[in-house]
Structure formats: structure tokens, C-alpha cells
């Protein structure tokens, strides 16, 4: 699915409501901690029902929290013995409820193969949950499928 051009533009700044800087950072880091721990309830609670999660570097969209995103996350978690997301750097846009997060992603596959990537995710937040996520992974490796 392609995102309509109207979604590309920055919406009017919010002067009140929405998440604070700290809440946006906490949402991202809580999501990754839950992913690392295999806590699907917390992972899915991070998304709006109609969220779209796009692995931009692989042109792979996953639509809907309870369909595409759930399957992608379940497949990801079940493919690895260990997953860790560490060394976060965040750029937060409170007015527009967006956060860009760069981090190191470390996975140990079921066969013991280790993969280490640098990734950058761009999160669009509505009412304290991710509505859109765009993922860019280093080396063209797509561990999310």
C-alpha cells in the first residue's frame, strides 16, 4: 500500500494535547523493550488499530495492528533466540507528535547466527500510539519480513 501524498505533509502544529517529549521517548523505548521480551500485548498496545508499519528499505508495508503488524512481530520474535535494541538516539517533534529513533539492533537466530544492524525508525503518533512507522535498516537486510 502506498501512503497518500496528503500524509507526506506536516500537519498544523498542536498547541495543546498530545504526548510530551518524555512520553514520546518512553513510548518508543517501551515498545522496543516489549519486542525484545516477546511481550506481544505491550507491543500491540503501542499501535493504533489502523496503523501501518512500513519497512521502507525493503518496500514492505504491514497494515493493521491486529493483522499485518501482529503477524510481522510474531514472525520476528519467533525467528530469534535473542533480540536486543540498544544505544538509542532520538529526535523528537512534540508539536507534530513525531519521533525519529536511531539504534543498534542485535539478533541471535535460532541456528546461532548473529545479525547486528543500525536502524532508524520514524514514528507518527496519534493519541499516544503509533499510527505510522517507517523503518530503514542498514545493509539492506530485512529481519522483519
Amino acid at each position: 500500500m502506498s501512503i497518500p501524498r496528503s500524509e507526506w505533509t506536516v500537519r498544523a502544529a498542536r498547541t495543546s494535547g498530545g504526548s510530551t517529549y518524555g512520553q514520546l521517548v518512553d513510548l518508543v523505548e517501551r515498545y522496543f523493550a516489549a519486542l525484545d521480551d516477546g511481550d506481544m500485548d505491550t507491543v500491540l498496545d503501542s499501535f493504533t488499530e489502523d496503523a501501518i508499519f512500513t519497512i521502507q528499505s525493503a518496500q514492505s508495508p504491514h497494515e493493521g495492528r491486529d493483522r499485518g503488524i501482529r503477524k510481522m512481530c510474531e514472525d520476528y520474535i519467533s525467528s530469534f533466540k535473542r533480540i536486543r535494541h540498544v544505544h538509542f538516539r532520538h529526535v523528537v517533534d512534540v508539536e507534530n507528535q513525531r519521533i525519529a529513533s536511531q539504534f543498534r539492533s542485535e539478533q541471535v537466530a535460532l541456528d546461532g547466527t548473529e545479525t547486528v544492524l543500525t536502524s532508524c525508525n520514524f514514528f507518527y503518533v496519534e493519541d499516544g500510539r503509533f499510527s505510522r512507522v517507517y523503518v530503514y535498516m542498514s545493509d539492506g537486510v530485512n529481519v522483519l519480513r
Side-chain angles (χ1 to χ4, degrees):
M1 170 179 175
S2 66
I3 304 300
R5 191 171 193 82
S6 62
E7 290 291 317
W8 296 3
T9 58
V10 176
R11 295 184 183 128
R14 296 181 184 201
T15 54
S16 65
S19 299
T20 65
Y21 178 99
Q23 289 168 328
L24 291 168
V25 169
D26 184 59
L27 175 63
V28 168
E29 293 191 5
R30 189 170 9 108
Y31 158 74
F32 281 113
L35 195 59
D36 293 352
D37 291 341
D39 177 359
M40 282 301 296
D41 289 338
T42 301
V43 167
L44 294 175
D45 190 50
S46 302
F47 292 91
T48 62
E49 187 175 333
D50 63 345
I52 299 174
F53 188 109
T54 303
I55 304 153
Q56 199 68 28
S57 52
Q59 298 178 353
S60 177
H62 302 274
E63 297 180 46
R65 175 191 64 207
D66 300 321
R67 295 178 320 274
I69 294 170
R70 173 186 288 278
K71 178 161 179 19
M72 177 199 61
C73 290
E74 286 174 344
D75 289 349
Y76 177 57
I77 290 167
S78 68
S79 296
F80 296 97
K81 283 195 274 191
R82 183 173 145 244
I83 302 169
R84 250 181 65 166
H85 295 86
V86 294
H87 308 302
F88 290 94
R89 288 185 221 147
H90 304 289
V91 176
V92 180
D93 178 355
V94 174
E95 287 185 42
N96 292 293
Q97 296 293 281
R98 298 196 179 134
I99 180 168
S101 301
Q102 183 183 28
F103 52 92
R104 179 180 163 116
S105 178
E106 305 169 344
Q107 297 92 24
V108 178
L110 300 177
D111 68 2
T113 305
E114 295 183 25
T115 304
V116 177
L117 301 168
T118 299
S119 294
C120 188
N121 290 10
F122 296 84
F123 300 93
Y124 290 56
V125 177
E126 290 179 11
D127 299 320
R129 290 185 166 80
F130 306 134
S131 61
R132 301 281 185 274
V133 179
Y134 298 92
V135 176
Y136 295 84
M137 291 181 223
S138 63
D139 300 325
V141 176
N142 179 9
V143 295
L144 293 172
R145 310 204 195 336

